[in-house]
Amino acid sequence: RRVGFEVVTSPQNTPRPGDVLVIWNRSGGNEALAKRYESAGGIVLVVENGYFGRDWRNGHWYAIARGQHSGAGEWREGGKERFDSWGVELKPWRGGGEEIVILASRGFGSSITREPKSWPKSIMDEIKSRPIKYPVRIRPHPGPPPHDPKRFARDTANAWACVTWGSTAGLRAIQLGIPVFYGLNRWIGAQAAYTVKYLNGDGPDVRFMGDRLPMLRRLAWSQWEISEIERGDPFEWLLT
């Protein structure tokens, strides 16, 4: 309504060019709905739990992007002020570590973004076949949110690096200063990590330990707190 749309609670059988569909994730029946709107010239906004956690900073946060989720979608990027105003603590990059931790996800989402079911085991076997001097283990997904950040810190306390397909747990690792390798080409954290093909244990220089801020400042414009959503801020930002 803030940007001039009539809001309805059911998807249209025959959407028109410019119509907007807001969906939770892009899996199952939502994938078919999204394709219907896009083929008609409509716009699809995909919503998911916020990248820093749904209940981050004692609020309720949600990722919103056009077309896809987890970095595969599109959104308008602003300046550095949004992320910087949140006062996010970034731990120094970890120089040591004694193991490689694979952060398994639940495998939800679109065919483009969801983690393949066999990926954690297959990537573990692949890493072990390389000249890696560190043991490799899989950290199972902890289940539906909310998640205990202290538990994650304990689970990765000895990590030399974390490996993710494209999860928010990988973003948490980056905040904690743990270098990350990823599998999803368009992962939202890719700007502050390396693809898993570079994980070969040749030395500390194989890990990304550079500037995380460009990635985080870009990410900040793709997640919104519930009060901002109630005001219509993200819809004005994404649709105008």
Side-chain angles (χ1 to χ4, degrees), residues 26 36 42 81 110 141 155 223 240:
R26 185 165 173 154
R36 182 196 306 171
E81 66 279 356
S110 72
H141 191 276
D155 289 347
Q223 72 165 23
T240 60

Side-chain angles (χ1 to χ4, degrees), residues 2 33 36 85 92 119 123 126 142 159 161 191 196 225 235:
R2 175 167 167 175
L33 280 174
R36 182 196 306 171
S85 70
W119 189 81
I123 199 64
E126 182 180 333
Q191 196 175 0
V196 74
E225 206 272 331
F235 305 109

